[in-house]
Amino acid sequence: MQCSPARLRAVPPALTVKPRLVRHLLLTVLMLVLMLGCGYAGYHLSKAFGIRALAENGERQLELNARAVESEITKYTYLPSLLELNDDVRRLLQTPSAYRRQRVNDYLEGLNGRSGSLATYVLDTSGRVLATSNWREPSSFLGEDLSFRAYFQDAVQGKPGRFYGIGSTTGEPGYYLAHGLKSNGRIIGVAVVKVRLDSLEQRWQRARLEAYVSDENGIIILSSDPARRLKAVHPLGPNTRERLARSLQYHWWALEELQPLARRALGDGIEQVSFAATRAAGQAPEAIDYLAQTRPLDDTPWHLTLLTPLQDQHRAAMSHAILAAVALALLAFLLIAWNERRKVIATRLAAREALEQANNELERKITERTADLQASNQRLQAEVRERQQAETTLRQAQDELVQAGKLAVIGQMSTSIAHELNQPLAALRTLSGNTVRFLQRGALDVASSNLQTINELVDRMGKITGSLRAFARRSDAGGEASLNQAVDAALLLLQPRQGQRALQIHRDYLHEQADTRLAIDQIRLEQILVNLIANALDAMGEQEDRQLWLSGRDEGARYLLTVRDNGPGIAPDARVHLFEPFFTTKPGEKGLGLGLTLSASLAAAASGSLTVQHPESGGTAFELSLPKPAPHRETSAHE
Ligand code: ADP
C-alpha cells in the first residue's frame, strides 16, 4: 500500500503531545485515583474495625448499666407487699373508718419518708385511694379513683403491677409498683409505691453517658438527654395512641416520635443512628452519628439503649484514610523512584555494554584497517617501484626516441644535405682545377681570389656538417638554452630545405637585442624549433608568398614563443590527431609523424607545453611555452 505524501505530512507541532507528558499525566491521574481508593478503603476498614471495637466496649457498658437500672428498679419491688403485714391497713380495707384512715395515712407517711419513694398509698378493690402518704399535701390524691390505672388493674387481679407514668394529680413522672393485698386468700385492696428513677438519669449525665430506657410502649421514660424524654422510639399506631391517651399514662404528653436523621441496622440490637445535635437558633442542625446498642431489662418489658458517639471514630477513620493515602503515595513514590533508578542502572549497563561492543568493534575494524593499510602500503610501494622502473624505462625510451627523431630528421634532410654539400664540392672541384691553371699561367690574383672562395666554401661545408653533428649529439634533460642560438642553428640546419622561392622570416622574439634564456637543454630546444620550422616550410611548400613569424612574449616566469606560417593550415579532421605519434599527412619517406609528438614531450619534460592555434587569417601557429631559468644569485653574476 502506498501512502500519499499528504498523508505522510507531519502533524503540526502545536498538535503533537509528547508521549512522556501523556505518561506522566496518566501516572498522576492513576496515583490520585489509587490514593482516593486507598483512602476510601482505609476509611471504611478503620470505621468497621473501630465500630466493632466500640460495639464490644459498648456491650460491656450496656451490661453494666442494665444491671444498674435493674437493681434500681428491683430495689422497691418488695415495698408494696410489706403493707400486707400491717394490721391497720388490712382493717382499713375491710372496714374503712376516718380513724383507721388517719392511722394508715400516718403510717404510710412515715414509711414513704424512710424508703425515699415519691408516694405510698392504698386503694380498695374499686380503685379508690383509701390512704396515702401525701395526705397533707394539696396535691394529695386521697379519695381519688385510680381504677383506670393499668398497675391497679394488674394488681387487683393478683399480678404484679409495674407501670411508669405521669401522675394524673401531681403531673410528676414516676415508677409505680402495685401489689394486690390479700386476706384469707382474697384480694382486699392494692398497695402502690411510686418511686422516682431520675437518679439514674443524673448518674448517666455525670458519667457523660448517653442512654435511655424505653418502656413497653416504646416511650422513652428515662434519658440522659432530657430532650429525648417521653418520645416514642418507634411510630405509634392510632389505636395505641388512643389507648395511651385514655390511660393517661403519660398525662397529656404529645408523645412525638424520636426521629433519627439516618438509621442503619448493624446487627442484632446494634444500629447506627444519627441525631440532629441541638444547636443555637438559626444554625443548621448538625448530624451526630451514634452506635445504638439495645438490650431488654430483666423482669421488666423495658429496654435500655446505650448511645456511643461515633465522632471520634469518624475522626480516627479519616486520619487512617489520610494515612493510608499518604502511605500509598509514599509507596508509589518509592516504587517510581526504584523503577527510575532501575531504569537508569539498566540504561547505564546497556550503554556500557554498547560502549564495550563499539570498542571491540572499533578495535576489530582498526586491526582490519591496519592490515588493509599495510597491504595497500606494500602494494603502493610495489607500484611506486614499478612506476619508478617504468619512468626510467620511459625516459630511456624517450631519449632513444629523441635520438631516433633527430636521426630521422637528418635522414629526411640527407638528400638536401648531400645536395647542399655537392654544390660546394662541385664548385670546389671546378675552382681548384681553375686555380691550378691560373697558377700555371701566373695569374696569381685570380688564383688567390679562387682560393679565397674555396676557403669560404669549405667553411660553409664545415658549418653544415658541424651543425649536423651537434644536432645528432645526445641531449640531456634540464640545462639552459639561448633562444637566439637555437633559432640560428635551426634555420642553418634547415637552410637546404628552404627551397627556391623567397622566404620572409620575421624575428619578433628579440627583446632589446638581449638574448632570451630558457630552462631547457640547448639541443632539445633546437630540435623542437627544427621540427616546427621544418613543418612550416613543408606546409608552405612552393607557394608564392612564404612568410614565417617567430614571435616571443615574456609572461613572467614563463616565455611564450609562437612559430607561425601562412601556409594552408591544418584540415579540421587532422587537428585532433596532430600530437599522436606516427600521424602524418606527408607522402612517403618525407613524413614520420613523430615531430610534434617528440616536440610536445620535450616541452613537457622541461615543464613547458606545446599547443596549436589556427588563426582566422590563415596558416598555423604553434605556441611553445617554456619556463625561464631561476635568476642567478648576485654573487655569481659578479664572478
Ligand atoms: P611529419 O612532419 O613527419 O609529418 P609531424 O609530427 O611533424 O610529422 O607533423 C605531423 C603532421 O602535422 C604533418 O604531416 C602535417 O600534416 C601537419 N603539420 C604540422 N605542422 C604543420 C603546419 N605548420 N602546417 C600545416 N600542417 C602541419
Side-chain angles (χ1 to χ4, degrees), residues 42-87:
Y43 177 82
H44 281 279
L45 268 177
S46 164
K47 207 169 153 190
F49 281 115
I51 286 176
R52 193 185 296 171
L54 270 188
E56 280 171 13
N57 190 39
E59 202 69 47
R60 284 194 292 277
Q61 288 275 354
L62 187 69
E63 193 61 34
L64 277 174
N65 284 288
R67 294 251 184 276
V69 176
E70 282 162 8
S71 69
E72 186 70 22
I73 295 167
T74 50
K75 184 162 91 175
Y76 299 99
T77 45
Y78 70 95
L79 208 57
S81 57
L82 279 182
L83 296 184
E84 210 172 49
L85 305 173
N86 191 288
D87 285 340

Side-chain angles (χ1 to χ4, degrees), residues 528-544:
I528 294 172
L529 290 174
V530 164
N531 284 334
L532 295 179
I533 295 169
N535 278 342
L537 292 174
D538 286 346
M540 290 186 290
E542 291 301 310
Q543 68 185 43
E544 279 288 318

Side-chain angles (χ1 to χ4, degrees), residues 276-304:
T278 42
R279 308 199 64 177
Q283 277 184 305
E286 190 194 3
I288 299 180
D289 286 342
Y290 291 96
L291 184 71
Q293 287 169 286
T294 306
R295 171 195 185 285
L297 292 170
D298 291 347
D299 298 330
T300 64
W302 299 352
H303 285 84
L304 172 68

Side-chain angles (χ1 to χ4, degrees), residues 412 497 531-532 534-540 563 565 567-571 574 577-580 582-586 590-598 619-622:
Q412 282 169 356
R497 285 177 67 173
N531 284 334
L532 295 179
N535 278 342
L537 292 174
D538 286 346
M540 290 186 290
V563 178
D565 60 63
I570 303 167
H577 305 295
L578 279 186
F579 293 97
E580 287 174 10
F582 305 108
F583 171 76
T584 180
T585 58
K586 294 173 190 170
K590 280 198 83 178
L592 268 180
L594 284 173
L596 287 179
T597 315
L598 271 175
T620 308
F622 281 93

